[in-house]
Amino acid sequence: MYKKLKFANFKNIKAQEINLSLGLNLFCGKNGAGKTNILEGMSILSGWGPLEKGLENLVTWGSQIKGAVLAGQTEENDIVEAHLATKTSFRFCEKRINATELRQKIPLLMFLPQDMELVEGSAVARRRILDIALSLIVPSYAYRLSEYRRAIKQKTIILKNTKNISPTQTSAIDRATEPIAEWIWSMRSTFVALLAEETVKNNLCPYPLTMQYVKGGTIYKGQIKNKFLDAVELQKQRELRFHYPLVGPHRDEVLLITEGKMARAFLSRGQRRRMAISIMLAVTDIITRKLGRTPILLLDEIMSDLDGEAREILLRELGQRGGQICASTTGVEEELAKEAHILQIVDGAIV
């Protein structure tokens, strides 16, 4: 966990020391005060990328300095630094370290407001949750996922830019992609099974939940082809027609089912939010068990669309969990935050 933070020239955050505690830390303030920026800084400082591309979005507006520096002190008094210039570089105890290594030293999960929509939103949100978790549990996962995405990008270019393309022109890419796609499918399938079991253990999920993992593009007109190359063959003519790869992990889906119906259609908005948070906490618990240590948990705008009862359940659940949790909210009732360390932020400064 981080016990101290200090950011220099980073967005609207003032250069002051921010003290954090074990357990629940609540950053409270108006929209635009800097709550999300602090969480983003912590995420970058733990080896993850910024929320937006481009250095100009990270440096304090109007600053003459071209870079930013983020620093943190861990519970073990290790000093971590992230230098944001033309590229991002990291130091851990004064030694250079890459992002993958840093993520293993300081495991961290950040859930954004769009993750709150993982029940009613598109499959992209559900795939993102799987990818973040697996990148922490299996260090090679992020690299192999990047390899897969490069292959799909290459295949997409061929499908879009080649006139009168024949099915054989993408076959070499398909054969090279097969072992990576099958490995990612195996990793995701195993994780979804664990996630389904873990989600029912906390008190936030409003109804019993079933999860069904569907490999992208393996089903067409009632036919099911579980092997990558078999599914590609099934979809080959459609790929040529649509000029886009239709088979693989980039099209995976996780179906969320409750009471025999799709959760997004059965639940109210508030209930969908509760289910989303339940899934996020279950992801955290799986990572804790696999790594043998609790990741820092960042939750942005966590109270959004939750009624009073759901807020009370959530804060009680967070207050009882181990590790360090940092959450942002525009406001929280005092009686619901007795177990939290409150940090009020105004115009980028803790007051």
Side-chain angles (χ1 to χ4, degrees):
M1 60 165 274
Y2 283 114
K3 64 180 183 180
K4 292 182 181 180
L5 301 170
K6 192 169 184 178
F7 302 159
N9 212 41
F10 181 71
K11 293 197 167 184
N12 74 329
I13 305 303
K14 301 295 188 293
Q16 67 176 124
E17 195 170 86
I18 302 171
N19 294 302
L20 302 175
S21 67
L22 186 66
L24 178 58
N25 299 267
L26 273 180
F27 290 96
C28 302
K30 297 179 179 179
N31 291 331
K35 306 184 301 295
T36 299
N37 294 342
I38 292 176
L39 299 185
E40 181 180 15
M42 291 182 68
S43 180
I44 294 171
L45 197 55
S46 300
W48 298 98
L51 303 183
E52 299 177 278
K53 293 182 179 179
L55 178 64
E56 67 277 4
N57 296 315
L58 302 177
V59 174
T60 301
W61 187 82
S63 172
Q64 299 303 309
I65 303 173
K66 294 185 178 180
V69 178
L70 314 178
Q73 182 179 356
T74 70
E75 187 179 25
E76 295 80 17
N77 292 319
D78 297 322
I79 303 299
V80 187
E81 294 180 345
H83 296 261
L84 314 179
T86 53
K87 62 179 181 178
T88 302
S89 62
F90 301 99
R91 288 187 174 275
F92 186 86
C93 296
E94 299 185 352
K95 295 181 180 179
R96 291 183 67 89
I97 189 173
N98 64 41
T100 301
E101 294 169 330
L102 184 55
R103 288 197 292 265
Q104 299 305 306
K105 288 185 176 294
I106 308 177
L108 176 146
L109 285 169
M110 182 173 181
F111 295 113
L112 303 170
Q114 54 262 43
D115 293 318
M116 293 285 283
E117 299 180 359
L118 69 87
V119 176
E120 69 259 43
S122 71
V124 174
R126 292 179 283 281
R127 290 196 296 267
R128 177 181 180 274
I129 295 292
L130 303 183
D131 292 338
I132 289 174
L134 285 165
S135 293
L136 282 175
I137 296 171
V138 185
S140 62
Y141 181 87
Y143 174 74
R144 301 196 75 174
L145 182 63
S146 178
E147 276 191 311
Y148 172 78
R149 287 171 173 165
R150 283 196 295 269
I152 290 299
K153 183 177 180 180
Q154 184 181 1
K155 182 176 178 179
T156 301
I157 291 172
I158 293 173
L159 288 171
K160 285 186 175 180
N161 297 337
T162 306
K163 294 182 178 180
N164 301 317
I165 186 173
S166 69
T168 59
Q169 286 180 266
T170 57
S171 295
I173 294 178
D174 292 333
R175 289 193 297 271
T177 305
E178 179 191 23
I180 305 174
E182 293 280 1
W183 185 83
I184 293 171
W185 274 346
S186 176
M187 292 291 103
R188 286 181 176 178
S189 178
T190 300
F191 187 81
V192 169
L194 289 173
L195 187 56
E197 293 178 5
E198 196 68 39
T199 301
V200 301
K201 295 180 182 179
N202 60 54
N203 297 317
L204 278 162
C205 211
Y207 288 93
L209 174 65
T210 300
M211 295 186 183
Q212 182 179 343
Y213 176 61
V214 181
K215 298 175 182 178
T218 58
I219 303 172
Y220 180 58
K221 288 187 176 180
Q223 296 188 61
I224 301 175
K225 303 288 186 180
N226 284 316
K227 295 296 183 180
F228 178 78
L229 289 180
D230 291 343
V232 169
E233 187 62 32
L234 180 68
Q235 300 271 18
K236 181 70 73 174
Q237 294 303 319
R238 293 184 73 230
E239 288 189 338
L240 297 177
R241 197 160 64 248
F242 290 109
H243 307 288
Y244 184 74
L246 297 176
V247 178
H250 65 291
R251 300 194 72 232
D252 284 357
E253 175 61 288
V254 180
L255 303 179
L256 305 177
I257 303 167
T258 186
E259 299 293 315
K261 300 178 182 178
M262 296 299 293
R264 63 172 175 265
F266 179 77
L267 301 176
S268 68
R269 183 172 177 80
Q271 289 172 333
R272 293 195 297 266
R273 292 300 169 98
R274 281 180 58 181
M275 182 171 285
I277 297 170
S278 177
I279 293 170
M280 295 174 197
L281 295 182
V283 168
T284 307
D285 291 337
I286 293 172
I287 292 172
T288 298
R289 191 165 65 247
K290 292 294 183 181
L291 297 182
R293 56 192 299 197
T294 305
I296 300 170
L297 181 59
L298 307 184
L299 302 166
D300 192 24
E301 296 299 340
I302 189 62
M303 301 298 177
S304 176
D305 289 323
L306 297 181
D307 59 25
E309 180 186 6
R311 289 181 179 218
E312 186 173 359
I313 294 172
L314 173 59
L315 285 172
R316 186 165 56 245
E317 181 77 26
L318 294 178
Q320 294 172 350
R321 301 177 74 83
Q324 185 176 63
I325 303 167
C326 295
S328 71
T329 179
T330 52
V332 60
E333 294 84 351
E334 186 176 347
E335 65 273 14
L336 299 183
K338 294 177 181 178
E339 302 299 323
H341 174 209
I342 305 295
L343 298 102
Q344 193 72 36
I345 182 166
V346 178
D347 295 331
I350 304 297
V351 296

